[in-house]
Amino acid sequence: MQKLFAEELEALRARSLDRHLRELSSAQGAEVEIAGRRLINFSSNDYLGLANDPRLREAATAAIDDFGVGAGASRLISGTQSPHLALERALAQWKRTEAALCFSSGYAAALGTIPALVTKNDVVLLDKLCHASLIDGAKLSGAVLRVFPHNHVGKLESHLEWARREHSGKRVLIITESVFSMDGDRAPLRELVELKKCFGALLMLDEAHAVGVIGSNGRGLTAAENLNDDVDLQLGTLSKALGASGGYICGSRTLIEWLINGARSFIYSTAPPPAIAAAALAAVDFLASPEGEERRLLLWERIRLMQDLLPRTGLNKELSAARSAIFPWIVGDEKAALNLAAALQNEGFLVPAIRYPTVAKGAARLRITVTAAHETAQIRALCETINRLRC
Ligand SMILES: Cc1ncc(COP(=O)(O)O)c(C=O)c1O
């Protein structure tokens, strides 16, 4: 048995596809410490620099004083504490939906929600670049799965026609992301909404990388496009721009009631720690405030600076149109991506190499993320170093 895994690991190593944990001995931030060395951090999704913010820390500490550490039971038994409900009310109000429901992670939200919506003989239509949690949720549902090429509205339309013909009377669920996690581009949301209305399908949008970044007060792409009534479910995470941990679904009250009754990752799992819910609530309150909006606008200044300074060359000609805080620096070869990440680390920058299966084979890249916590000098230094190293 052990030999079997050793051989499989060796096979991964031979293809430069093996992965390792790296230990951070500091909090998240624009700088982190690894192996006793400070590195400028371009790897995290803490887009607004909230993960170590005093507002969140104080909210968590106060909740620990009042509620302790563990929730002790699943939400439906006795694990629903005041911070959980306060957070769900605030999320719904901020996202301007009727209701919201929190899960222990964004991954758990996808895994529980999709199978609660569709089942065998229903149809799920997924964008090719959807996150693993959405793919896994769709597979778990047992519904018939069809993938459409990335952001290809024409192909989605032909899948919808096929579903109407071959699965008439069955539920059809379209799933996509507002901002794609490894490419940083956006879904053509208005066109998707038109199609979903035309075919009577449901639309689920993963706003994981849009919340806190896009739309006034960081409400996400749905709100920015004024499509709250047309996107049936907005999935999000509390663990990226919101600086805490957990996932959520925002939607109609009926939908949320149904998920409370049907989403297995919600029902059969201990409630998230109340202190984490309290920290996430502090983050939502901050985002909804004028100060939060200022922080988001600062993030966009940093995004524009990165967009101006990152060299444009070869595989990276497309860099001109930044649509989010995610900048993929496409390398192609897996080993070359690892080497470039290692060279950057030598120079004092933490930028992860992303490889198959997170992205397609031969499409390895550095995934550079900008945050509002970065100084302009740090962004300049990274871009100069990439420019020098790629020569
Ligand atoms: C697009 C997308 N959806 C969902 C998730 C899952 O969220 P969480 O990290 O809260 O489990 C992620 C996180 O990596 C993501 O990138």
Side-chain angles (χ1 to χ4, degrees):
M1 182 72 138
Q2 269 189 341
K3 187 157 176 283
L4 178 70
F5 292 130
E7 280 169 8
E8 298 199 341
L9 277 170
E10 196 42 55
L12 279 182
R13 256 176 239 126
R15 289 151 62 212
S16 299
L17 294 177
D18 52 317
R19 291 155 192 242
H20 304 275
L21 298 174
R22 53 171 83 80
E23 179 179 344
L24 269 71
S25 47
S26 66
Q28 275 298 339
E31 282 189 23
V32 290
E33 189 175 297
I34 294 184
R37 211 173 143 219
R38 299 294 293 176
L39 295 173
I40 304 175
N41 179 17
F42 286 98
S43 73
S44 95
N45 303 308
D46 180 23
Y47 299 122
L48 298 172
L50 291 180
N52 192 27
D53 186 277
R55 298 172 193 81
L56 275 69
R57 293 166 63 118
E58 278 158 26
T61 312
I64 285 181
D65 287 345
D66 291 343
F67 295 94
V69 176
S74 67
R75 289 284 304 274
L76 280 172
I77 302 299
S78 57
T80 296
Q81 293 168 290
S82 308
H84 299 113
L85 294 179
L87 171 61
E88 286 167 351
R89 279 192 299 270
L91 275 169
Q93 198 181 5
W94 172 57
K95 294 283 273 175
R96 298 184 179 145
T97 56
E98 281 178 12
L101 188 68
C102 289
F103 293 71
S104 52
S105 68
Y107 191 98
L111 220 62
T113 298
I114 300 170
L117 300 175
V118 285
T119 180
K120 201 161 166 264
N121 294 328
D122 290 331
V123 175
V124 175
L125 304 175
L126 267 175
D127 187 286
K128 171 97 174 112
L129 295 189
C130 273
H131 187 258
S133 56
L134 303 170
I135 300 170
D136 294 353
K139 284 184 178 163
L140 191 63
S141 75
V144 181
L145 254 186
R146 283 254 165 135
V147 172
F148 56 94
H150 179 48
N151 278 347
H152 197 311
V153 179
K155 199 70 186 172
L156 172 61
E157 183 169 11
S158 60
H159 282 349
L160 284 161
E161 277 160 2
W162 162 84
R164 182 152 68 186
R165 213 172 42 245
E166 303 293 329
H167 295 267
S168 128
K170 296 294 175 190
R171 227 172 253 172
V172 178
L173 173 65
I174 303 168
I175 305 181
T176 192
E177 297 178 20
S178 1
V179 168
F180 286 84
S181 56
M182 296 300 139
D183 291 76
D185 59 340
R186 297 184 190 181
L189 191 55
R190 289 201 158 269
E191 293 167 74
L192 297 180
V193 160
E194 267 173 39
L195 272 185
K196 84 117 207 174
K197 281 180 164 168
C198 181
F199 285 86
L202 290 168
L203 176 60
M204 175 172 177
L205 186 67
D206 182 343
E207 295 257 33
H209 297 276
V211 154
V213 179
I214 293 171
S216 68
N217 294 93
R219 289 188 181 88
L221 189 61
T222 309
E225 300 275 350
N226 205 11
L227 291 170
N228 260 22
D229 293 337
D230 299 307
V231 175
D232 300 285
L233 299 91
Q234 300 177 45
L235 182 150
T237 164
L238 305 165
S239 7
K240 302 190 193 294
L242 288 161
S245 189
Y248 64 84
I249 297 286
C250 282
S252 70
R253 196 168 307 285
T254 320
L255 169 83
I256 297 303
E257 268 178 43
W258 174 243
L259 293 181
I260 291 172
N261 285 276
R264 292 170 66 86
S265 64
F266 174 84
I267 299 170
Y268 298 107
S269 184
T270 298
I276 293 297
L281 172 59
V284 172
D285 286 346
F286 174 70
L287 255 79
S289 73
E291 220 186 329
E293 182 62 356
E294 253 175 54
R295 181 78 63 93
R296 189 182 74 85
L297 297 178
L298 176 65
L299 169 63
W300 275 97
E301 282 179 26
R302 300 295 183 259
I303 291 173
R304 279 190 286 273
L305 182 66
M306 180 69 87
Q307 177 184 339
D308 289 346
L309 296 182
L310 256 185
R312 269 168 215 117
T313 166
L315 292 167
N316 295 293
K317 284 203 185 84
E318 304 293 325
L319 279 175
S320 51
R323 310 283 287 143
S324 70
I326 301 165
F327 290 80
W329 178 264
I330 311 289
V331 177
D333 178 66
E334 280 76 23
K335 182 87 183 127
L338 283 177
N339 289 344
L340 187 51
L344 281 170
Q345 185 154 340
N346 262 339
E347 301 271 345
F349 301 97
L350 180 59
V351 188
I354 307 290
R355 295 159 290 155
Y356 177 82
T358 308
V359 294
K361 276 186 194 142
R365 64 200 61 191
L366 299 183
R367 179 179 182 269
I368 304 165
T369 45
V370 193
T371 74
H374 284 119
E375 302 289 340
T376 55
Q378 294 173 322
I379 295 172
R380 283 180 201 287
L382 175 73
C383 293
E384 278 162 21
T385 309
I386 290 184
N387 211 3
R388 180 158 45 79
L389 289 177
R390 76 186 170 84
C391 298

